[in-house]
Amino acid sequence: MIILRKEEFDVAKQTVAVLFGGQSSEHEISCISAVTIIENMNTDRYDTVLIGITKDGKWLSVDSLEAVRSGSWKDGTVRAVLSPDAQMRAVLFIDGSQVTEKKIDVVFPVLHGMYGEDGTVQGIFELSRIPYVGCGVLSSAVSMDKYYTKIIVDTLGIRQAKYVPVRRGELKDMESVVKRVEENVPYPVFIKPCNAGSSRGVSKAENREMLEKGLLEAAEHDKKILVEETIVGREVECAVLGGNEVKASGVGEILSAAEFYDYDAKYHNAESRTVLDPELPGGAAEEIRKDAVAIFKAVDGFGLARVDFFVTADTGEVVFNEINTLPGFTSISMYPMLWENRGISKPQLVEKLIQMAFSRKEK
C-alpha cells in the first residue's frame, strides 16, 4: 500500500486567482463580494491567489482573507500582475527587484463595473489563455453599456423603456440636448450613465432644471448617458446561469426604501429589502424567466448574469431594464439569494461557476 502525505494531496489542487477591488465606483462592493466568494470556495480543491486592484489601478498581492475584510491589503507593496503571455499562464509577483512566478489554473474576476465587467480585463484573460469565470469580451462590453444593450434587445421584440442617448460632449449645448429629450420622453425621466453600475450617478428628473442637473451628474461617471421614460411598477430581477444550456432562477422583487433603488438605497438603507418568488400578475414570472434567458443568449452571455425588469403597475406588462454580467455577491445580493432559493447553495454556485470556466476552455 502507498500512503500519500497531505502535501502530496495538495499538489493536485488547482489554483484560482481571485481579482477584486478595481477602478470603478463599485470598488467597495467588489471587495465585499470577493469575501463571500472566497469564503464559499472549496479549500480541499482549490488554492487561492488573491489580487486586489486599487482605485488608482495598482495590482497588489494580498496575503489573507482578513486583509480583504479589513481593507489593509491596500497598504501592500508587492505587485501581482497577470501575464498576458499564453505560454506562461501565470501571475508575476514583483517585490522590488525580485520577480517570482505562480502558475494559475483559473481566474475568478470579482470586479463590478468599469475595467472589470466591461470586457477590458476579460481581454487579458483571453490573451493569457487562462480559463475564467463569467462572460467573455463581447458580452461583457455590450451588457455593460446600457445603450448598446438596448439596441440588441430592440431586435428581440421585448419591451423596454423609451430612451434618448446623450454624449458628454453634447452637454456644451445643454439647450439642444434638453429639447431633444423633451421631444421624445415625457417627464418624469431617469438619467443614467451608460457604463456605471450599482446605480451610481442615476437620478430622476421631474422638470427641465432637474434634468440639466441630472445630466451633469451622470456625465461625471461616464461619457455616454441614457435618459429614459419612467416605468411605474415593481422592480424585479432574475438570475441566469449556464453556457450552452442556460437556466433561469425564480424571480426576486426589490422593495426599495427610497423613491428609486439607487446606490444608497441598495447598500446603505437597511429598510430596503427583497422578496423571493413574489406574486406577480398573470404569466409575468414565466415571461421574465423566458426573456432573461433570451437576452442572455442575445448578448452571447456565458456563466452568469442578473437580468432586471419592471412589471408595470397598470397592466402588469413586463419591461426590460438592464443586464449585469457580474452581479453582486454580497450577503444582500439578489443573485446568490435567487439560486439558494432554488436549492443551489453559495458553495455549490461558486463551484459551478468555476467548472463552467473550465468547460469554456475545453470548447
Side-chain angles (χ1 to χ4, degrees):
M1 178 185 295
I2 299 175
I3 300 176
L4 297 177
R5 298 189 303 274
K6 180 181 182 299
E7 55 266 30
E8 291 178 291
F9 277 115
D10 290 344
V11 171
K13 283 186 177 183
Q14 292 172 308
T15 301
V16 182
V18 180
L19 274 60
F20 63 90
Q23 299 181 65
S24 82
S25 56
E26 298 178 85
H27 176 97
E28 289 79 12
I29 305 307
S30 169
C31 296
I32 299 170
S33 292
V35 169
T36 303
I37 287 168
I38 297 162
E39 286 178 336
N40 286 281
M41 201 173 291
N42 187 341
T43 55
D44 291 331
R45 297 193 63 173
Y46 306 110
D47 286 324
T48 56
V49 171
L50 308 184
I51 301 173
I53 303 173
T54 64
K55 289 184 178 180
D56 58 356
K58 287 190 294 187
W59 290 40
L60 297 173
S61 173
V62 180
D63 58 12
S64 69
L65 181 57
E66 183 52 42
V68 185
R69 288 196 188 97
S70 67
S72 62
W73 66 269
K74 297 171 188 177
D75 299 324
T77 58
V78 179
R79 299 294 181 88
V81 179
L82 184 66
S83 172
D85 188 323
Q87 299 303 309
M88 294 180 67
R89 302 185 185 185
V91 170
L92 302 179
F93 297 100
I94 306 169
D95 188 0
S97 60
Q98 184 177 358
V99 179
T100 56
E101 178 183 326
K102 174 73 174 178
K103 295 291 184 182
I104 300 297
D105 295 299
V106 63
V107 180
F108 202 132
V110 193
L111 296 166
H112 310 311
M114 291 290 288
Y115 308 117
E117 199 175 347
D118 61 354
T120 49
V121 78
Q122 285 76 14
I124 298 176
F125 306 151
E126 292 287 349
L127 287 171
S128 71
R129 297 186 187 173
I130 301 174
Y132 61 96
V133 170
C135 289
V137 174
L138 173 68
S139 52
S140 297
V142 297
S143 299
M144 184 69 197
D145 191 303
K146 295 179 177 66
Y147 177 42
Y148 285 99
T149 305
K150 282 185 172 291
I151 292 173
I152 292 171
V153 173
D154 274 338
T155 69
L156 301 176
I158 294 171
R159 187 189 164 189
Q160 49 190 339
K162 296 177 184 176
Y163 61 94
V164 174
V166 177
R167 291 187 177 271
R168 182 191 289 152
E170 294 176 322
L171 298 181
K172 294 175 183 177
D173 186 359
M174 182 67 79
E175 182 68 26
S176 176
V177 170
V178 169
K179 182 180 178 182
R180 175 154 51 95
V181 170
E182 291 178 337
E183 287 175 348
N184 289 278
V185 187
Y187 291 111
V189 297
F190 277 97
I191 305 109
K192 302 177 179 180
C194 279
N195 287 284
S198 281
S199 304
R200 289 289 202 179
V202 176
S203 62
K204 185 178 182 181
E206 305 276 355
N207 52 49
R208 178 172 290 202
E209 181 182 355
M210 295 173 71
L211 173 61
E212 292 179 359
K213 181 180 177 182
L215 287 167
L216 293 173
E217 180 184 352
E220 293 179 4
H221 294 268
D222 192 20
K223 64 183 179 182
K224 287 188 293 184
I225 304 161
L226 275 185
V227 182
E228 294 182 339
E229 74 168 311
T230 297
I231 303 295
V232 179
R234 300 161 70 176
E235 296 186 52
V236 295
E237 301 180 345
C238 183
V240 179
L241 178 69
N244 288 330
E245 182 184 349
V246 181
K247 294 182 179 180
S249 70
V251 177
E253 181 177 8
I254 298 164
L255 301 178
S256 176
E259 183 181 4
F260 63 95
Y261 202 46
D262 62 4
Y263 184 86
D264 287 331
K266 188 177 294 186
Y267 294 111
H268 297 151
N269 195 323
E271 294 182 15
S272 291
R273 59 191 180 90
T274 57
V275 176
L276 302 179
D277 291 327
E279 280 194 33
L280 295 175
E286 191 54 39
E287 183 179 348
I288 287 164
R289 297 179 71 249
K290 177 175 67 70
D291 288 352
V293 170
I295 292 166
F296 184 73
K297 289 181 176 179
V299 300
D300 197 30
F302 185 91
L304 75 163
R306 194 194 71 234
V307 192
D308 302 347
F309 298 86
F310 297 104
V311 178
T312 61
D314 52 354
T315 63
E317 188 177 6
V318 174
V319 181
F320 168 67
N321 183 20
E322 63 183 32
I323 180 171
N324 294 270
T325 55
L326 223 157
F329 236 94
T330 72
S331 61
I332 63 168
S333 294
M334 186 73 87
Y335 189 84
M337 288 170 59
L338 284 167
W339 285 119
E340 282 184 305
N341 194 47
R342 285 295 184 269
I344 301 176
S345 66
K346 287 189 182 75
Q348 290 172 322
L349 185 56
V350 169
E351 179 65 22
K352 283 178 180 290
L353 291 169
I354 293 173
Q355 290 306 313
M356 273 190 278
F358 286 118
S359 74
R360 170 204 268 133
K361 179 70 163 51
E362 291 165 3
K363 286 198 300 179

